[in-house]
Amino acid sequence: MDLVDNLINSFKDKVLRSLDLTEDEVYALCDAVGHQSLRDAAAEISAARASRKFDACSIVNARSGKCSENCKWCAQSAHYHTSCHTYDIIDHDECMKAARYNAERGVHRFSLVASGRAVHGEALERMALMLREVKETTGMSVCASMGLLNKEELQKLWDNGVRRYHCNLETAPSHFAKLCTTHTISDKLATIRAAREIGFEVCCGGIIGMGETMHQRAEFAITLREVEPHSIPINVLAPIPGTPLADTPLISEDEILDTIAIFRFVHPTVELRFAGGRARISREGQLEAIRIGMNSGVVGDLLTTVGSTIAEDKTLIDDAGLQSF
């Protein structure tokens, strides 16, 4: 056993004793990428400390396109010319149809995700009422992702039965300003703090493969400890034509898996959630990702990219040895 393996095992033992790694220890994990022992140790942490029941959620694009923000990865930004479908607010019947479809297939969590810096006024009221109806008619837990809301706006969602709020930090603080200049991570953290003060669970993650280093991914994982998320969606960039990141080189499957391992070391009990870009990972890679730490996922079609089917996901989860939904 070499020095790197010894270091990984010492960090693993610390996490298994329910102790947090220091920032220096987290950054030291970056030197262990490419070592099988990193993934094996993350798998041990997952088996011992993370839920073995796969948490599945479904998302519906409640408002699409025409977004004022200039996030370089996003098809929905009005700053770029993409083929993104645009509409103001999802039709009520379409929303309910999607909710029933997912509920009938065992998905127990449903979220409306809206483009734009924030959802205000009548639009927020309409979406909140749709979420209330989804919860009352299907029994699913309901979540919302509606941008940089203030406490009063978040309270409206809470009053209509929403119990989890989603707001991604997207990437490391040292990298974010290279990708978006119309809002900041501080703006996001303010919304997350307001949500937590009300009582919301927080779903907060981001996208890997946007030109950041592995060290910055470790920085991102450390920053998320401030959020104390219940769920961390890990998206893999799917470069979209028309966006500034359209020609970004794809990161390798090994790099994706090593990143998941580091996130499991830093967040041993949190739901690590498959999200956008999963179709880029081979089936064998997805099985390995679940072994390492992924124990939740967005199922069905995603916002602007196509996901896998619910039936395919159930088979994958069963084959990986987790309790399916």
PDB file of all heavy atoms in Angstrom, residues 35-48:
ATOM      1  N   HIS A  35      -6.657   7.000  -8.335  1.00  0.00           N
ATOM      2  CA  HIS A  35      -6.395   5.841  -7.479  1.00  0.00           C
ATOM      3  C   HIS A  35      -7.705   5.111  -7.196  1.00  0.00           C
ATOM      4  O   HIS A  35      -8.675   5.716  -6.726  1.00  0.00           O
ATOM      5  CB  HIS A  35      -5.756   6.273  -6.155  1.00  0.00           C
ATOM      6  CG  HIS A  35      -4.326   6.686  -6.282  1.00  0.00           C
ATOM      7  ND1 HIS A  35      -3.287   5.931  -5.774  1.00  0.00           N
ATOM      8  CD2 HIS A  35      -3.753   7.768  -6.873  1.00  0.00           C
ATOM      9  CE1 HIS A  35      -2.139   6.534  -6.043  1.00  0.00           C
ATOM     10  NE2 HIS A  35      -2.398   7.656  -6.698  1.00  0.00           N
ATOM     11  N   GLN A  36      -7.739   3.830  -7.438  1.00  0.00           N
ATOM     12  CA  GLN A  36      -8.943   3.052  -7.180  1.00  0.00           C
ATOM     13  C   GLN A  36      -9.333   3.124  -5.715  1.00  0.00           C
ATOM     14  O   GLN A  36     -10.512   3.062  -5.369  1.00  0.00           O
ATOM     15  CB  GLN A  36      -8.737   1.598  -7.595  1.00  0.00           C
ATOM     16  CG  GLN A  36      -9.958   0.712  -7.437  1.00  0.00           C
ATOM     17  CD  GLN A  36     -11.142   1.162  -8.284  1.00  0.00           C
ATOM     18  OE1 GLN A  36     -10.954   1.590  -9.426  1.00  0.00           O
ATOM     19  NE2 GLN A  36     -12.348   1.094  -7.730  1.00  0.00           N
ATOM     20  N   SER A  37      -8.349   3.271  -4.851  1.00  0.00           N
ATOM     21  CA  SER A  37      -8.640   3.315  -3.412  1.00  0.00           C
ATOM     22  C   SER A  37      -9.512   4.510  -3.048  1.00  0.00           C
ATOM     23  O   SER A  37     -10.259   4.453  -2.060  1.00  0.00           O
ATOM     24  CB  SER A  37      -7.338   3.352  -2.605  1.00  0.00           C
ATOM     25  OG  SER A  37      -6.528   4.445  -3.001  1.00  0.00           O
ATOM     26  N   LEU A  38      -9.459   5.607  -3.828  1.00  0.00           N
ATOM     27  CA  LEU A  38     -10.312   6.764  -3.557  1.00  0.00           C
ATOM     28  C   LEU A  38     -11.776   6.382  -3.730  1.00  0.00           C
ATOM     29  O   LEU A  38     -12.621   6.672  -2.880  1.00  0.00           O
ATOM     30  CB  LEU A  38      -9.950   7.918  -4.487  1.00  0.00           C
ATOM     31  CG  LEU A  38     -10.835   9.162  -4.397  1.00  0.00           C
ATOM     32  CD1 LEU A  38     -10.682   9.847  -3.041  1.00  0.00           C
ATOM     33  CD2 LEU A  38     -10.516  10.143  -5.527  1.00  0.00           C
ATOM     34  N   ARG A  39     -12.070   5.700  -4.828  1.00  0.00           N
ATOM     35  CA  ARG A  39     -13.453   5.298  -5.089  1.00  0.00           C
ATOM     36  C   ARG A  39     -13.903   4.206  -4.115  1.00  0.00           C
ATOM     37  O   ARG A  39     -15.042   4.218  -3.641  1.00  0.00           O
ATOM     38  CB  ARG A  39     -13.589   4.811  -6.527  1.00  0.00           C
ATOM     39  CG  ARG A  39     -13.240   5.884  -7.558  1.00  0.00           C
ATOM     40  CD  ARG A  39     -13.405   5.339  -8.972  1.00  0.00           C
ATOM     41  NE  ARG A  39     -12.778   6.203  -9.959  1.00  0.00           N
ATOM     42  CZ  ARG A  39     -12.682   5.916 -11.239  1.00  0.00           C
ATOM     43  NH1 ARG A  39     -13.173   4.766 -11.696  1.00  0.00           N
ATOM     44  NH2 ARG A  39     -12.098   6.753 -12.080  1.00  0.00           N
ATOM     45  N   ASP A  40     -13.022   3.271  -3.817  1.00  0.00           N
ATOM     46  CA  ASP A  40     -13.387   2.198  -2.896  1.00  0.00           C
ATOM     47  C   ASP A  40     -13.683   2.747  -1.502  1.00  0.00           C
ATOM     48  O   ASP A  40     -14.623   2.310  -0.831  1.00  0.00           O
ATOM     49  CB  ASP A  40     -12.266   1.164  -2.815  1.00  0.00           C
ATOM     50  CG  ASP A  40     -12.117   0.354  -4.099  1.00  0.00           C
ATOM     51  OD1 ASP A  40     -13.061   0.354  -4.921  1.00  0.00           O
ATOM     52  OD2 ASP A  40     -11.046  -0.270  -4.285  1.00  0.00           O
ATOM     53  N   ALA A  41     -12.897   3.738  -1.076  1.00  0.00           N
ATOM     54  CA  ALA A  41     -13.125   4.341   0.240  1.00  0.00           C
ATOM     55  C   ALA A  41     -14.443   5.104   0.257  1.00  0.00           C
ATOM     56  O   ALA A  41     -15.199   5.041   1.234  1.00  0.00           O
ATOM     57  CB  ALA A  41     -11.960   5.267   0.595  1.00  0.00           C
ATOM     58  N   ALA A  42     -14.737   5.830  -0.834  1.00  0.00           N
ATOM     59  CA  ALA A  42     -16.015   6.544  -0.917  1.00  0.00           C
ATOM     60  C   ALA A  42     -17.180   5.561  -0.870  1.00  0.00           C
ATOM     61  O   ALA A  42     -18.216   5.839  -0.258  1.00  0.00           O
ATOM     62  CB  ALA A  42     -16.064   7.368  -2.205  1.00  0.00           C
ATOM     63  N   ALA A  43     -17.011   4.402  -1.511  1.00  0.00           N
ATOM     64  CA  ALA A  43     -18.062   3.382  -1.481  1.00  0.00           C
ATOM     65  C   ALA A  43     -18.292   2.875  -0.059  1.00  0.00           C
ATOM     66  O   ALA A  43     -19.439   2.639   0.350  1.00  0.00           O
ATOM     67  CB  ALA A  43     -17.682   2.224  -2.402  1.00  0.00           C
ATOM     68  N   GLU A  44     -17.225   2.713   0.705  1.00  0.00           N
ATOM     69  CA  GLU A  44     -17.375   2.287   2.107  1.00  0.00           C
ATOM     70  C   GLU A  44     -18.116   3.337   2.926  1.00  0.00           C
ATOM     71  O   GLU A  44     -18.966   3.019   3.765  1.00  0.00           O
ATOM     72  CB  GLU A  44     -16.002   2.016   2.723  1.00  0.00           C
ATOM     73  CG  GLU A  44     -15.343   0.739   2.259  1.00  0.00           C
ATOM     74  CD  GLU A  44     -14.085   0.444   3.058  1.00  0.00           C
ATOM     75  OE1 GLU A  44     -14.167   0.431   4.309  1.00  0.00           O
ATOM     76  OE2 GLU A  44     -13.016   0.246   2.445  1.00  0.00           O
ATOM     77  N   ILE A  45     -17.794   4.601   2.675  1.00  0.00           N
ATOM     78  CA  ILE A  45     -18.474   5.691   3.384  1.00  0.00           C
ATOM     79  C   ILE A  45     -19.958   5.687   3.031  1.00  0.00           C
ATOM     80  O   ILE A  45     -20.829   5.820   3.902  1.00  0.00           O
ATOM     81  CB  ILE A  45     -17.823   7.044   3.035  1.00  0.00           C
ATOM     82  CG1 ILE A  45     -16.405   7.115   3.615  1.00  0.00           C
ATOM     83  CG2 ILE A  45     -18.675   8.205   3.555  1.00  0.00           C
ATOM     84  CD1 ILE A  45     -15.592   8.286   3.096  1.00  0.00           C
ATOM     85  N   SER A  46     -20.261   5.526   1.751  1.00  0.00           N
ATOM     86  CA  SER A  46     -21.660   5.504   1.316  1.00  0.00           C
ATOM     87  C   SER A  46     -22.419   4.358   1.970  1.00  0.00           C
ATOM     88  O   SER A  46     -23.546   4.526   2.443  1.00  0.00           O
ATOM     89  CB  SER A  46     -21.745   5.374  -0.205  1.00  0.00           C
ATOM     90  OG  SER A  46     -21.299   6.554  -0.836  1.00  0.00           O
ATOM     91  N   ALA A  47     -21.814   3.175   1.979  1.00  0.00           N
ATOM     92  CA  ALA A  47     -22.471   2.003   2.551  1.00  0.00           C
ATOM     93  C   ALA A  47     -22.741   2.178   4.041  1.00  0.00           C
ATOM     94  O   ALA A  47     -23.757   1.704   4.559  1.00  0.00           O
ATOM     95  CB  ALA A  47     -21.616   0.758   2.305  1.00  0.00           C
ATOM     96  N   ALA A  48     -21.837   2.889   4.719  1.00  0.00           N
ATOM     97  CA  ALA A  48     -21.956   3.020   6.167  1.00  0.00           C
ATOM     98  C   ALA A  48     -22.806   4.204   6.611  1.00  0.00           C
ATOM     99  O   ALA A  48     -23.508   4.129   7.629  1.00  0.00           O
ATOM    100  CB  ALA A  48     -20.559   3.144   6.784  1.00  0.00           C
TER     101      ALA A  48
END
